[in-house]
Amino acid sequence: MASSRGNVHSDTAKKEQIITEFFTKTLQIILESRSPYMSSRHYSGEQVVSSPSPSSSSSPSSSSFRTRDKWFNLALRECPAALENIDFWRQSNLEPMVVDVILVQRSIDWDPVNFSPQRDILKNPTLKEQVSNFMNLESEDPCVVEPRNEKVIERWVVQYESRKSRDGSSSGSKKSSGNLHSLYKKSIVLLRSLYATLRLLPAYKLFRDLISSGHIHTYTLTHRVSTFVEPFTRREEVDMQRFSFAPVDTACGRLCLSVLYRSIVSDGSSGPSTPMSPQFIPDYVGSPLADPLKRLPSLPRSHGSPSCSPFSRRHSWSYENYQASSPLNLPSPSPSPSPSPTYSDSHASVSKCRSRLPPPLSLPQHLPEAFQATSKNVGYDEYWPSPVFSPSPSPSPPMYIARTDASKALLRCESAPVSIPISKAFNREILRPSPPPKLTRAATLKSDRSTGPSGSSVEKFSLGRDESGRFSGLRISTNSSPGISFSRSSSRPSIPDDFDDAEFACPFVVDDDDMGSRPESLDQKGKPCDPLDHGGSFPVRTSQDAAVGALVLMLKKAPPLRQDSLMASKADIEEAVLKPDNQQQSQKGVCTNIQSSSLAMSRTTADALEELRSYKELKELLLTQGKSSQVIDK
Amino acid sequence: MNCEVSQLKELEVEHFEIREVLRCILHTIMFHRALGLVRPKDVDLELFDITYVQCGDVELEKKIDEKIDQFICWVEKHPNKKSQICLSFYEVKNNKAIWFSNKVERLYWEQWYINLNVAQHHKPTSSKSHHSKVVDSEGASEERSARRAAIEVSLREVLFQIIKFVNEKKDHIPPIPSREGISFPYEITIPSSSDTTFGMDMIKRMLQTGHPTMLS
């Protein structure tokens, strides 16, 4: 054990011995306040645990122990296990010593003998046992305890860094001896502070409870000594704090001591981990947005049927849509059961959403055809972005949640108005995307006319906005990141009043798009497939309910829809060409939502333009006729 | 030789907490400066969930308790005053020139200033405290426990402050003169009956610190 003493002659040997003893003492000090098996605290000072091997007697008979105990002027009880470990260490002082203090959760079946309550009784007779326990904790425990939960709560690292050059060069024996004195004195101070620090760290409470209290614990402390550092995971490291003792710095080298410890240590079952999980979970569950996102990524890819995916996306996109559209029209058919749960979480109106969904089924057929013309390439692109969202649920969720909360409140209020509120939300989205007022104005004008055909003045207004949004969406969608678009959409809900059913349709459409090409992302706007999806959305424009139904249908019949979308995309392109202003808007980076709405709007605008043209023509005809008639009359 | 000075963070304590807090701090410092052979002894505070270490030296324990008693007396006579306790370590050198004067030169190499702000027992907390006045008894008890927890945190911080200081400043420690537990001569100074005297003491000590050759 104390083999190095024979070399006392040379300073180097002395230094080596000091360092070796430092390692030993450090380990002993740590274990004495961390390992219940060798704690000195609850034994009388006289009850020194002698070395395990030769004699089990507790009497500190051998002088060698006492001598050794005086190292660093810190008298501790002899710690056999530590000494044995140290002997191992002596062979390589340059290797670091890593002492992990491990919190072990035990099942109730755990052997009571090892527990603190019994310890006092057992201590004298079972010194050997204790030692063996101490040494072999890990091997023994597994047999007794099946469910074993270990957690490193402290990691002590002791290291000696020698300065080879100086060591050899520093000639004067006086110097070196002075260095030795300095090394020794500073080591004393370091060990003192180590001793005090051990009792201030959180793990000490665990140890103290373990030793002192009479009741059985569901945990115990063990340790592991090694020469290498087993790296912590990032998650583990987050909970750890570091305390570095100032190294003992002498000409000979540096003795470094540091500890990584958990600032929060709970003796309870799961400890810190349990409290953490609940916190995170509630947020995700509670926020409808988060759920949608999660589902979205998985659903679109996994499910071949578009229906499922659309729902998921819808969630992500906006609650508003669901709320407004859902309840009224589509009570009967719930296209995608999976999405419904998410809805429920987010909104009380889940049922509404489901109901809404079914109606879309019927609508989609109609919508796609009509809407295809309007364009919806852009819309597709926009939708694509949304899929992107789904893939990256983690980043986006927070945004959604916040927005969703706001939207939820709004939605709830708005839910009564159903279709209108939803549209509003969309409109807002659209509006945001369409920064240029000019465009919007133009769009509104056109939309008004177009709406005229559709039937509702309100729609007209919304259409105007939609148009701008659409345009922006078409071209912009590529530029804009999906996440952004989502956020916009969410914020828009607050605005909801403006828009109509068409907006609803858009969200649905978006979902569809997501289903088909979501993974691809926003950039895909140009792709024909996206347009197809949009086409589906177009039908929605006509009426929210119809849009929902159309969406459902679209989802179910993905291939045909795509075709439609392609058609729609062409139409959109044409529209875009017609209205450069709108295109500019799209460039601004309107969100996908906007795009979808814009698509619906575009139809109206295009229609309106056509109508206008026809009106103009009629006007001209009338005028000409009138003129001619006048002339004739005259 | 340099004299390292450590100003410990001020603690707001109530009267009945003075003894434990001072014991904890003084013994912790002494444990780090009693570089002779010691057999450490763990002590759990009664008021706080803190364990500190004593050197296991009966004489030291007695002296510290004496000083604390004196300090408490002083606090009772001087309520509402911030107070400072100084623990100093020095080396003794006989100065031949003044051999006749019976004076021994003290070379202070380290001083610890413990700063306490003792709140009055009957009054709630001093206006300085951030605790809002709660009339209800329940609220008061809550406030008390909160305050207790706050003090515990602060005291723990002070203990870590001591440990850090001890770790960072090692070069000024003189050679260990004796193998006995309390290796270095020390001195605990509390405010004397008059503040001015206390202040003068401090000034003198500071001067001495700066000029080791001066007599104390």
Side-chain angles (χ1 to χ4, degrees):
Chain A
M1 299 174 126
S3 59
S4 61
R5 285 180 189 166
N7 304 331
V8 180
H9 313 293
S10 69
D11 288 343
T12 307
K14 285 181 181 176
K15 184 195 72 178
E16 290 294 326
Q17 188 178 6
I18 291 175
I19 294 166
T20 302
E21 292 295 339
F22 181 83
F23 276 92
T24 309
K25 203 78 172 185
T26 302
L27 180 59
Q28 186 177 356
I29 291 171
I30 293 171
L31 295 185
E32 199 208 31
S33 66
R34 289 297 183 269
S35 169
Y37 303 105
M38 40 186 319
S39 155
S40 63
R41 186 170 177 165
H42 301 273
Y43 303 100
S44 67
E46 302 307 323
Q47 281 181 334
V48 177
V49 179
S50 59
S51 68
S53 48
S55 64
S56 63
S57 68
S58 60
S59 65
S61 55
S62 66
S63 63
S64 67
F65 290 125
R66 292 199 165 184
T67 306
R68 194 166 197 190
D69 198 29
K70 290 179 181 175
W71 267 96
F72 303 103
N73 289 341
L74 194 61
L76 305 173
R77 234 148 309 91
E78 208 61 34
C79 173
L83 290 178
E84 286 195 0
N85 282 326
I86 295 223
D87 290 342
F88 172 75
W89 285 103
R90 284 192 173 178
Q91 300 176 356
S92 56
N93 276 338
L94 294 180
E95 284 186 12
M97 179 173 74
V98 181
V99 183
D100 283 346
V101 179
I102 304 165
L103 175 65
V104 181
Q105 310 286 348
R106 291 180 180 273
S107 67
I108 301 175
D109 300 336
W110 192 65
D111 179 6
V113 174
N114 293 330
F115 282 102
S116 56
Q118 305 296 339
R119 186 174 306 124
D120 292 340
I121 301 172
L122 298 174
K123 58 184 176 185
N124 286 333
T126 58
L127 278 177
K128 283 183 179 178
E129 288 184 10
Q130 289 183 20
V131 172
S132 65
N133 284 341
F134 172 82
M135 299 300 292
N136 306 324
L137 270 182
E138 306 218 352
S139 60
E140 284 187 3
D141 292 336
C143 304
V144 181
V145 184
E146 292 181 1
R148 182 165 179 168
N149 182 9
E150 291 187 355
K151 186 190 299 174
V152 176
I153 55 174
E154 281 182 359
R155 167 162 295 171
W156 299 85
V157 179
V158 193
Q159 200 165 3
Y160 176 70
E161 303 167 356
S162 70
R163 296 177 184 175
K164 300 172 183 176
S165 59
R166 262 203 164 187
D167 229 352
S169 64
S170 66
S171 52
S173 61
K174 290 182 180 179
K175 255 193 176 180
S176 62
S177 68
N179 288 335
L180 281 181
H181 283 296
S182 175
L183 172 63
Y184 189 67
K185 185 180 69 182
K186 291 178 179 178
S187 299
I188 292 175
V189 175
L190 178 54
L191 290 175
R192 291 274 204 280
S193 55
L194 167 65
Y195 196 95
T197 303
L198 272 164
R199 280 143 185 82
L200 292 175
L201 293 179
Y204 184 74
K205 289 181 184 176
L206 290 182
F207 168 77
R208 198 180 54 191
D209 293 344
L210 203 54
I211 285 185
S212 60
S213 64
H215 61 83
I216 293 180
H217 298 271
T218 58
Y219 68 93
T220 188
L221 292 173
T222 183
H223 63 272
R224 181 196 306 141
V225 184
S226 56
T227 56
F228 60 93
V229 176
E230 184 180 329
F232 288 115
T233 64
R234 285 184 184 176
R235 192 177 176 183
E236 285 174 327
E237 264 187 336
V238 171
D239 299 332
M240 306 289 269
Q241 292 186 20
R242 174 180 293 278
F243 183 85
S244 294
F245 296 85
V248 173
D249 204 347
T250 67
C252 319
R254 287 155 54 97
L255 268 176
C256 303
L257 175 60
S258 67
V259 59
L260 267 177
Y261 65 96
R262 270 178 208 282
S263 51
I264 300 173
V265 177
S266 70
D267 51 357
S269 55
S270 57
S273 62
T274 38
M276 298 292 288
S277 59
Q279 294 176 353
F280 286 103
I281 293 173
D283 292 346
Y284 283 99
V285 174
S287 67
L289 295 177
D291 291 347
L293 293 174
K294 292 178 179 178
R295 293 182 179 181
L296 291 172
S298 63
L299 291 174
R301 295 176 183 175
S302 63
H303 296 281
S305 67
S307 63
C308 298
S309 62
F311 284 95
S312 63
R313 286 196 173 180
R314 292 174 183 178
H315 296 290
S316 66
W317 285 83
S318 65
Y319 303 90
E320 299 171 356
N321 297 334
Y322 291 107
Q323 293 176 350
S325 62
S326 61
L328 303 176
N329 299 334
L330 316 173
S332 59
S334 63
S336 63
S338 63
S340 64
T342 54
Y343 289 93
S344 64
D345 295 346
S346 61
H347 305 282
S349 64
V350 174
S351 63
K352 293 180 180 179
C353 297
R354 293 180 182 178
S355 65
R356 293 176 183 175
L357 295 173
L361 296 174
S362 64
L363 294 175
Q365 298 173 348
H366 302 287
L367 296 174
E369 296 176 357
F371 294 92
Q372 291 172 355
T374 47
S375 67
K376 304 14 185 202
N377 297 339
V378 177
Y380 289 108
D381 295 345
E382 295 175 57
Y383 292 115
W384 289 92
S386 67
V388 176
F389 290 103
S390 64
S392 63
S394 61
S396 58
M399 301 289 290
Y400 290 107
I401 296 171
R403 295 177 181 177
T404 55
D405 294 343
S407 64
K408 290 179 180 179
L410 295 172
L411 294 174
R412 292 176 183 175
C413 303
E414 298 171 357
S415 63
V418 183
S419 63
I420 295 172
I422 296 170
S423 63
K424 292 179 180 179
F426 283 86
N427 292 340
R428 291 181 180 178
E429 296 175 355
I430 296 167
L431 292 173
R432 293 182 178 178
S434 64
K438 296 178 181 178
L439 295 174
T440 57
R441 292 178 182 177
T444 56
L445 294 173
K446 294 176 182 178
S447 66
D448 291 350
R449 293 180 182 178
S450 65
T451 54
S454 64
S456 68
S457 63
V458 177
E459 289 179 354
K460 294 176 181 178
F461 287 94
S462 65
L463 290 173
R465 295 180 182 178
D466 291 355
E467 289 177 357
S468 64
R470 294 174 185 174
F471 291 101
S472 64
L474 294 173
R475 299 180 178 179
I476 295 167
S477 64
T478 53
N479 298 339
S480 66
S481 67
I484 297 171
S485 65
F486 281 73
S487 64
R488 291 180 181 179
S489 64
S490 63
S491 63
R492 293 174 184 176
S494 60
I495 307 172
D497 300 342
D498 301 345
F499 288 74
D500 305 354
D501 301 349
E503 295 177 357
F504 291 102
C506 295
F508 286 97
V509 174
V510 174
D511 295 350
D512 295 349
D513 294 345
D514 295 347
M515 300 294 292
S517 60
R518 293 174 183 175
E520 313 250 332
S521 78
L522 308 175
D523 295 345
Q524 297 175 347
K525 297 175 181 179
K527 296 180 180 180
C529 296
D530 298 346
L532 293 174
D533 295 344
H534 295 292
S537 65
F538 288 102
V540 178
R541 296 174 184 172
T542 54
S543 68
Q544 294 177 352
D545 297 349
V548 175
L551 290 173
V552 175
L553 292 175
M554 295 288 291
L555 295 173
K556 290 182 177 179
K557 304 172 182 178
L561 292 174
R562 291 179 184 175
Q563 293 175 357
D564 294 355
S565 66
L566 291 171
M567 299 292 289
S569 66
K570 291 178 180 178
D572 293 350
I573 295 169
E574 293 177 358
E575 290 180 358
V577 175
L578 293 173
K579 301 176 182 178
D581 295 352
N582 294 339
Q583 293 175 354
Q584 293 175 356
Q585 293 176 355
S586 65
Q587 292 175 354
K588 294 178 179 179
V590 178
C591 305
T592 56
N593 294 340
I594 296 168
Q595 293 174 352
S596 64
S597 64
S598 67
L599 291 173
M601 298 299 287
S602 65
R603 286 183 179 179
T604 57
T605 55
D607 294 344
L609 288 172
E610 291 180 0
E611 289 181 0
L612 285 172
R613 289 178 184 175
S614 63
Y615 281 117
K616 287 183 179 178
E617 290 178 359
L618 289 173
K619 243 190 183 179
E620 291 177 0
L621 288 172
L622 290 173
L623 290 174
T624 55
Q625 289 179 359
K627 289 180 181 177
S628 64
S629 66
Q630 288 179 0
V631 172
I632 295 169
D633 293 346
K634 291 178 180 177
Chain B
M1 182 174 298
N2 294 329
C3 178
E4 297 288 349
V5 178
S6 173
Q7 286 281 354
L8 297 179
K9 183 185 167 188
E10 180 179 289
L11 289 173
E12 279 197 25
V13 299
E14 288 193 48
H15 189 271
F16 69 96
E17 295 163 337
I18 294 174
R19 184 174 298 277
E20 273 214 322
V21 168
L22 279 182
R23 268 187 189 161
C24 176
I25 295 174
L26 288 172
H27 276 289
T28 298
I29 296 172
M30 288 304 298
F31 177 67
H32 284 92
R33 288 297 175 250
L35 300 185
L37 181 61
V38 298
R39 189 172 289 277
K41 177 178 142 192
D42 293 350
V43 178
D44 297 332
L45 291 183
E46 293 177 2
L47 297 175
F48 309 103
D49 190 13
I50 289 178
T51 301
Y52 70 95
V53 186
Q54 291 187 355
C55 300
D57 185 299
V58 181
E59 288 301 318
L60 174 65
E61 209 172 336
K62 197 183 294 178
K63 183 169 181 182
I64 285 178
D65 281 347
E66 279 177 17
K67 286 293 179 182
I68 292 175
D69 286 338
Q70 293 176 23
F71 176 76
I72 290 176
C73 288
W74 182 88
V75 166
E76 287 171 349
K77 292 175 186 170
H78 302 79
N80 287 328
K81 283 188 178 177
K82 292 189 179 185
S83 45
Q84 208 173 37
I85 298 99
C86 180
L87 172 55
S88 308
F89 296 96
Y90 57 88
E91 282 185 287
V92 177
K93 286 195 176 177
N94 292 330
N95 192 327
K96 294 178 181 177
I98 54 169
W99 179 252
F100 52 90
S101 68
N102 254 351
K103 287 205 172 183
V104 182
E105 184 180 5
R106 289 184 174 185
L107 302 180
Y108 291 90
W109 54 272
E110 190 169 84
Q111 290 177 325
W112 300 80
Y113 288 96
I114 303 165
N115 297 289
L116 292 185
N117 188 6
V118 181
Q120 295 308 300
H121 9 279
H122 37 273
K123 291 182 181 178
T125 12
S126 69
S127 58
K128 291 179 181 178
S129 73
H130 24 273
H131 305 287
S132 60
K133 295 181 180 178
V134 182
V135 181
D136 300 350
S137 60
E138 295 180 0
S141 68
E142 285 183 9
E143 184 185 4
R144 210 175 301 136
S145 63
R147 200 195 62 85
R148 179 74 55 86
I151 293 179
E152 182 176 319
V153 170
S154 299
L155 179 56
R156 203 175 283 271
E157 285 177 5
V158 168
L159 295 180
F160 270 109
Q161 190 183 352
I162 294 169
I163 289 171
K164 285 175 182 169
F165 180 91
V166 159
N167 262 279
E168 291 167 3
K169 308 284 177 90
K170 289 174 184 161
D171 290 330
H172 67 292
I173 302 174
I176 302 172
S178 71
R179 298 215 95 209
E180 296 173 7
I182 313 301
S183 51
F184 303 110
Y186 66 97
E187 157 185 271
I188 298 174
T189 311
I190 61 169
S192 52
S193 55
S194 77
D195 282 340
T196 55
T197 305
F198 175 70
M200 289 302 293
D201 279 355
M202 289 302 154
I203 292 172
K204 280 183 185 174
R205 198 153 290 113
M206 295 295 288
L207 290 174
Q208 292 167 5
T209 304
H211 306 278
T213 55
M214 289 179 60
L215 297 180
S216 62

